[in-house]
């Protein structure tokens, strides 16, 4: 029986931030390569940034995923509140999603 992926304590630090933040999360898949898709949206739902990366951690905490507060075109995004969605997937197709908020000053 395959265990579902559990993601907890999703956060970005610092939050609020102005020029740089890092995303962190805890998971129940130590020693498993994870495909990470992190998307930042305006509160009205417009996608402003997509970060895709692969993570591998021996423990239960992710490596920091850095972001400079710029959109997919390299422009600074406006001050305000944003929603981000983390999607974590294993190579065998199991995944989970979690949403959180961040603030840009």
């Amino acid at each position: 029986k395959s265990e579902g992926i559990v993601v907890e304590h999703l956060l970005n630090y610092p939050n609020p931030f102005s020029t740089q933040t890092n995303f962190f999360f805890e998971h129940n898949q130590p020693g498993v390569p994870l495909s990470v898709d992190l998307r930042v949206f305006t509160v009205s739902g417009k996608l402003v940034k997509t970060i895709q990366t692969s993570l591998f951690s021996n423990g239960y905490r992710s490596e920091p995923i850095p972001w400079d507060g710029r959109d997919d075109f390299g422009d600074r995004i406006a001050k305000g509140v944003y929603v981000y969605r983390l999607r974590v997937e294993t190579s065998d197709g199991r995944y989970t999603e979690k949403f959180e908020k961040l603030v840009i000053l």
Side-chain angles (χ1 to χ4, degrees), residues 17-84:
F17 74 100
S18 54
T19 58
Q20 177 78 29
T21 192
N22 287 289
F23 296 94
F24 300 89
F25 61 94
E26 292 175 4
H27 59 85
N28 65 342
Q29 302 290 314
V32 175
L34 298 173
S35 170
V36 174
D37 182 280
L38 186 78
R39 294 179 188 229
V40 180
F41 301 89
T42 63
V43 285
S44 60
K46 178 176 179 264
L47 176 64
V48 293
K49 181 66 178 178
T50 301
I51 300 170
Q52 293 177 316
T53 187
S54 297
L55 292 179
F56 182 90
S57 51
N58 290 321
Y60 295 94
R61 179 169 296 222
S62 71
E63 294 293 309
I65 302 169
W67 182 42
D68 62 3
R70 294 180 184 270
D71 65 15
D72 283 331
F73 302 103
D75 299 318
R76 287 221 165 276
I77 64 175
K79 296 174 182 175
V81 177
Y82 293 82
V83 176
Y84 60 95

